Every structure is written in C-alpha cells, then in structure tokens.
Amino acid sequence: MFAFDKIPNPTLGRTGLEAALSEEERAVQDAAHHFAEEVMRPIGAKLDRMSAEEVVAAGSPLWDYVNRIVASGLLDLKTLGAMPPEQKARMLPLIFEELGWGDPGLAIFSLATAFPAFAAHMSGDPELIERFGSSLGCWVGTQPDRGSDLGDIEATQVHPGTRQGRGNLFARVVGDEVVINGQCSAWVSGAPVAQTGYVFCQCDYGDGLWNDRGGLNYIAALVPFDKNVTKGKPLEKMGQRPLPQGEIYFNDVVIPKKYVTAGKDTSYGAFFGALTFANMEMALTFTGVARAAFEHALAYVHERQQGGTQLVNHQSVRQRLFDMWRKVETARAIAQRVVNYNFGPNGPHVLGSITSKTYATQAAFDVANEALQMFGGNGLTREYPLEKLFRDARAALIEDGENNLLSLVGASWLSTWYKREHGL
C-alpha cells in the first residue's frame, strides 16, 4: 500500500497521468507540442475560415504547413520506419496525440498524403520508391454508391440473399496492365492536392467482380495522376476544414502490373493492414482533440463567473469537468494499449484498432460537446475554440469507417475468436 507523511498535490504531465518518459521521449513530445501550438493551431484556425478552394490554392497557409511539417522531421518516413516496434509503440502516441491537439485535420492530412509513399517503401522496390516515395498522395478507397461496404471488406454484414453494391470505381486486368475507370467519393483525404494515389478498388480479373460471399474482388495499386485523371471541386464540409477532400475521376487510366501492390489473393490483407494503421492513428489523434477540449474547459471554468463565483465552484460543473477528464484519460489508455498490442507479438489486428478508434472518437465528441456546453453561448461563436473542436470531433465518428459499422465488424471478429477458441 502507499503511505504519505502529508497529502500531496497531484503531479501531472503534459498529458495528465503520465508515467516516466525517457529523455528522448520527452524531447519528441516537447517538439511535437511546440509544433502543434506554434504552427498547427494558427494555420488550422486560418484554414478553417477559408473556402475549400482557397485552402488548396497557391499561397494558402496549407503549403506553409506542408513545408514546416517536413522540416520538423516529426513524420519522417525513414526515421519512423527504422525504429524497432517497441520504440514505435512509445513514440507514435506521443507524436500523434500532440498533432491532434494542434489540429486534427492537418494531422490526418499529413498521414493520408503519405499513404502511397508508405506503400512504396513497404514494397522495397527501388523503382516504386523513386516514383511514389516522396510526392503528396492520397488513399483512394471510398466510393459514392458504396458507403460503409468498404469497411466491411469480408462482407460479414451483407443482408442474406443479397450482395454488396458494385460501386463507381473498378479495375480490369488486361494482360500485363491494369485499366482503371470511374470515380471515388468526395471524402478522399488529400485528393485535391495529390499527385499520386494508393488506389484500392474492386477488380475484374477475368472472372467477374463478385466473390461467392457476396463481396467483391479487389486490387491495391499505386497510381500516378499525370494521365487521364481529373478532379472535382474540393469538398465544402462541416468539420476538419483544413483537411482538403474531394473526388477523383479515372478515365481509362492504364498502369503496369508492377504498380500493383496486392492482387486478388492479397488485396484483403492490404486493406486490412491500411485500416488497422489508420484506425489506430485516429484514436491517437482524437485523444489529442479530447484533451484540447478538456483543457479549454478547465481554463474557462476558472475564469468565467456565474452566480457570484467562478464556474468551477459550482458542484455540478466540477462533476462534469471530472467526467471529461476521466474520458480523456480512458481514451489515451485504450489508444496506447492498442498501439502496444499492434506492435507487440500478438498484433497487429483491426479488432484492436477499431476498439480504440470508436472509443476515442466518441470520447472526443462527448468531451467537446460538454466543453462547449460549459462555454454556453460563447461556445457557439467562432471567437472561442470549442465551435471548431466540436465540428472536428463530430466528423471523426464517420471518418475512416463509420463507428456503428466498425463496431459490427469488431463484434464479428470477437465472435470469430470465440468460436475458434471453443471449437464451434
């Protein structure tokens, strides 16, 4: 048991109930925090008030952010890729929570636009690394008429007697080439500025698009956007406005088979891996959003007076404040636990990432919602930060997989595990 000579005040770190960090970890956390505070928050606030077309235009503050995040080295692919799993499990939560605390739209922009580069480097192919390893890209997956079907890659939620919709974007294998036609949805992050794409779409290998489970055959490929690719207008949306999103149109885009990173038998695994990483990162990022909302509320209730005293002196406010704190700490705990799992001997697996993504994004929304309530009418105005945080957090409940659909997929994996363990 613990014993004290006198009752001390709690000692809290930058992220609350922190255990010991190494000197290197503290330096990385400090660098990420200062970058988030000095670069991301001011730029994110400017971009939030601009039109979607202004955000991606020449001279936009977005390009200042792009240059400065590269110069910071915080998301350097070579540095992160060279880390052993144990170090990644320690460093990624420190970095992405701070970036989410700064601005979640910009944090996701940096990750999403690096997807083709990630895929190229993972291939180990010098030609692919040279062609796709350094340019801004995007992850092309969602389609206008399919919605959450993409998140149900194994077709576990298909209604009996039916099959998933065909969608708008598909590929055909023709000899030693792949031909891509159609469009992705307007929700592809980074699309308006992307020069390349990591394209994941249904594919006809010569035996049709559908498989015997009612799902679709897929392909994953790296695609340059220099020929037969056009783009729609950047999407005007409610939250994460610093993150440009939009449609991409493919008109007989021909790529060599060499650009295919996963074919008929391996494409499910490729998508599974991408979603596992993306959902894990979402949990870390939106833990930062939850923390930002809590910190604003904590400061405000010590400044604002109602009923003849500061808000914090009202019992109901203190109760609600502590509930917000508890949700932030719990979101961080599950987000970090899943990172440790994914980089540990039993992972990675999308079950863990879905668990952390759905919880942390819901917590971020709940905390931002309660914080805005504490701000009262001020919280509804653009003069205070909660209005933006609330919109940003709301988008996350749908982003990278709608939370209800992800929960169904997670439950299916739990059932699969149980049946295997009990011989059912």
Side-chain angles (χ1 to χ4, degrees), residues 211-290:
N211 57 42
D212 56 9
R213 296 189 302 276
L216 291 151
N217 298 317
Y218 285 92
I219 196 168
L222 292 165
V223 181
F225 289 169
D226 51 357
K227 293 181 180 179
N228 298 338
V229 174
T230 57
K231 298 176 182 179
K233 290 184 178 181
L235 180 67
E236 294 287 359
K237 54 191 174 143
M238 181 176 78
Q240 297 178 38
R241 294 181 60 80
L243 170 63
Q245 295 176 307
E247 298 164 321
I248 304 173
Y249 299 88
F250 300 81
N251 183 22
D252 284 333
V253 175
V254 179
I255 60 170
K257 273 190 175 179
K258 184 178 181 63
Y259 288 2
V260 175
T261 61
K264 185 176 183 180
D265 297 329
T266 56
S267 57
Y268 277 26
F271 179 77
F272 185 94
L275 186 64
T276 298
F277 188 87
N279 270 204
M280 179 183 75
E281 180 272 333
M282 285 284 288
L284 298 172
T285 298
F286 283 89
T287 295
V289 173

Side-chain angles (χ1 to χ4, degrees), residues 365-380:
F365 176 74
D366 291 344
V367 173
N369 182 54
E370 189 60 72
L372 190 150
Q373 193 75 14
M374 287 184 176
F375 273 64
N378 286 337
L380 300 173

Side-chain angles (χ1 to χ4, degrees), residues 41-230:
R41 283 192 167 183
I43 290 178
K46 290 178 183 178
L47 294 174
D48 185 64
R49 299 192 179 197
M50 298 168 65
S51 72
E53 291 190 347
E54 289 171 337
V55 166
V56 300
S60 165
L62 178 68
W63 303 112
D64 183 30
Y65 169 76
V66 170
N67 293 330
R68 295 176 75 173
I69 189 67
V70 172
S72 75
L74 288 168
L75 297 179
D76 182 72
L77 293 184
K78 291 182 179 179
T79 301
L80 293 174
M83 290 181 182
E86 299 81 6
Q87 189 178 16
K88 289 178 183 176
R90 297 279 293 181
M91 289 297 186
L92 289 180
L94 297 177
I95 295 171
F96 276 105
E97 178 174 335
E98 294 305 324
L99 298 186
W101 179 90
D103 188 280
L106 291 176
I108 294 168
F109 174 81
S110 292
L111 181 66
T113 53
F115 258 61
F118 272 124
H121 282 281
M122 287 178 65
S123 74
D125 187 318
E127 182 180 335
L128 295 184
I129 294 172
E130 175 67 23
R131 181 67 181 83
F132 299 97
S134 59
S135 58
L136 285 177
C138 61
W139 180 26
V140 178
T142 59
Q143 299 178 31
D145 293 338
R146 300 199 67 233
S148 293
D149 275 353
L150 181 63
D152 181 29
I153 186 66
E154 294 198 313
T156 61
Q157 309 305 318
V158 173
H159 194 71
T162 65
R163 61 185 184 180
Q164 291 183 338
R166 176 176 177 273
N168 304 72
L169 181 64
F170 61 94
R172 291 180 294 111
V173 175
V174 182
D176 292 330
E177 296 178 327
V178 177
V179 183
I180 304 173
N181 279 285
Q183 73 171 99
C184 66
S185 76
W187 299 107
V188 173
S189 297
V193 300
Q195 300 163 316
T196 63
Y198 183 44
V199 177
F200 186 85
C201 67
Q202 49 266 38
C203 181
D204 184 352
Y205 291 89
D207 55 356
L209 292 176
W210 283 271
N211 57 42
D212 56 9
R213 296 189 302 276
L216 291 151
N217 298 317
Y218 285 92
I219 196 168
L222 292 165
V223 181
F225 289 169
D226 51 357
K227 293 181 180 179
N228 298 338
V229 174
T230 57

Side-chain angles (χ1 to χ4, degrees), residues 328-407:
V328 174
E329 286 291 333
T330 306
R332 181 178 300 110
I334 186 60
Q336 293 187 351
R337 180 174 171 86
V338 167
V339 173
N340 288 332
Y341 173 82
N342 280 340
F343 286 108
N346 295 323
H349 199 283
V350 78
L351 173 62
S353 295
I354 284 175
T355 304
S356 63
K357 187 271 182 180
T358 54
Y359 185 87
T361 55
Q362 185 65 55
F365 176 74
D366 291 344
V367 173
N369 182 54
E370 189 60 72
L372 190 150
Q373 193 75 14
M374 287 184 176
F375 273 64
N378 286 337
L380 300 173
T381 73
R382 286 186 170 185
E383 300 306 312
Y384 291 82
L386 264 300
E387 185 264 349
K388 177 180 181 297
L389 280 172
F390 177 83
R391 289 186 284 108
D392 289 347
R394 183 61 185 85
L397 303 182
I398 298 172
E399 187 175 21
D400 269 9
E402 191 272 334
N403 278 9
N404 291 299
L405 184 278
L406 289 178
S407 297

Side-chain angles (χ1 to χ4, degrees), residues 33-46:
H33 181 78
H34 291 310
F35 182 84
E37 184 174 37
E38 297 167 9
V39 178
M40 297 181 77
R41 283 192 167 183
I43 290 178
K46 290 178 183 178

Side-chain angles (χ1 to χ4, degrees), residues 304-311 313-314:
R304 178 75 170 179
Q305 291 194 0
Q306 290 292 315
T309 187
Q310 294 169 327
L311 286 176
N313 294 327
H314 294 286

